[in-house]
């Protein structure tokens, strides 16, 4: 076994833990939302907040580090699939740091102060909308890492763009449901 295979294994394992763990929490939140179960929904949000900094951020960083090591020593940084992967990573990392982390902290403080209020639930719903987009981007990253498209793979690239656009539409659609009607 060579070093590349070891680093690639560590890259894949950390990506599975990061993406898979977050996806399970996302599904739990969706199931609780559909069932109208506020307690389960809050538990999923609480778990997401608690695991964000302690588990998901480190797994995300390890995924990046192992990927950068592979690129730096063996693959290079010029292939289109590497650029798409890094752009996707930057997008999902930014969503985590700029949306999920501060929103989760704000929700936690609101629950501690006021308990579970409609405002807290509305904020949680907006986080679920962002999660839809985040997982669309992650799906594209996974496809990108497996398929390794070039500029000649128009169908794959169009498919990736459609997935990101669908994720954005689902996220925006979920956010619009929260806008109170002017009645």
């Amino acid at each position: 076994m060579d070093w590349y295979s070891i680093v690639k294994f560590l890259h894949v394992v950390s990506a599975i833990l990061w993406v898979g763990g977050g996806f399970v929490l996302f599904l739990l939140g969706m199931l609780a939302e559909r069932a109208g179960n506020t307690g389960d929904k809050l538990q999923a949000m609480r778990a997401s907040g608690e695991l964000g900094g302690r588990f998901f951020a480190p797994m995300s960083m390890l995924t990046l580090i192992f990927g950068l090591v592979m690129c730096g020593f063996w693959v290079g940084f010029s292939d289109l699939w590497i650029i798409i992967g890094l752009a996707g990573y930057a997008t999902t990392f930014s969503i985590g740091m700029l949306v999920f982390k501060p929103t989760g902290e704000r929700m936690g403080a609101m629950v501690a102060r006021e308990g579970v209020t409609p405002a807290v639930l509305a904020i949680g719903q907006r986080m679920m909308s962002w999660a839809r987009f985040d997982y669309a981007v992650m799906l594209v990253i996974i496809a990108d890492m497996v398929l390794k498209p070039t500029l000649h793979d128009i169908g794959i690239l169009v498919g990736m763009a459609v997935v990101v656009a669908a994720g954005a539409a689902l996220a925006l659609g979920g956010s619009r449901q929260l806008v109170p009607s002017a009645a």
Side-chain angles (χ1 to χ4, degrees):
M1 178 171 293
D2 60 350
W3 279 106
Y4 178 78
S5 296
I6 293 168
V7 174
K8 185 176 181 180
F9 171 77
L10 294 171
H11 175 70
V12 169
V13 168
S14 56
I16 288 169
L17 293 172
W18 168 39
V19 176
F23 189 70
V24 167
L25 287 176
F26 173 70
L27 282 178
L28 289 173
M30 291 293 292
L31 292 171
E33 181 180 321
R34 288 208 171 120
N37 189 328
T38 304
D40 286 353
K41 191 173 171 182
L42 284 172
Q43 181 60 33
M45 288 180 207
R46 193 173 299 120
S48 295
E50 289 174 8
L51 292 172
R54 293 185 202 147
F55 181 74
F56 297 124
M59 287 300 111
S60 163
M61 291 303 296
L62 285 173
T63 301
L64 176 66
I65 289 167
F66 292 131
L68 291 174
V69 168
M70 285 190 299
C71 288
F73 286 104
W74 296 287
V75 178
F77 292 93
S78 61
D79 291 335
L80 178 62
W81 66 275
I82 298 292
I83 295 165
I84 292 171
L86 289 171
Y89 179 86
T91 301
T92 191
F93 184 81
S94 296
I95 291 169
M97 290 295 113
L98 300 175
V99 177
F100 294 150
K101 185 179 185 307
T103 303
E105 290 170 353
R106 188 173 71 204
M107 282 177 59
M110 288 173 72
V111 169
R113 253 190 344 262
E114 308 158 18
V116 179
T117 64
V120 169
L121 294 174
I123 291 169
Q125 184 63 42
R126 282 191 293 273
M127 275 183 64
M128 288 296 289
S129 294
W130 275 100
R132 289 179 182 101
F133 178 67
D134 191 48
Y135 273 93
V137 172
M138 286 189 186
L139 179 62
V140 166
I141 295 169
I142 293 167
D144 178 62
M145 294 291 114
V146 171
L147 301 174
K148 297 177 178 26
T150 67
L151 284 175
H152 302 290
D153 297 312
I154 302 302
I156 293 170
L157 297 172
V158 168
M160 290 174 159
V162 168
V163 169
V164 169
L170 285 171
L172 291 173
S175 295
R176 285 192 193 125
Q177 293 172 1
L178 298 172
V179 178
S181 61

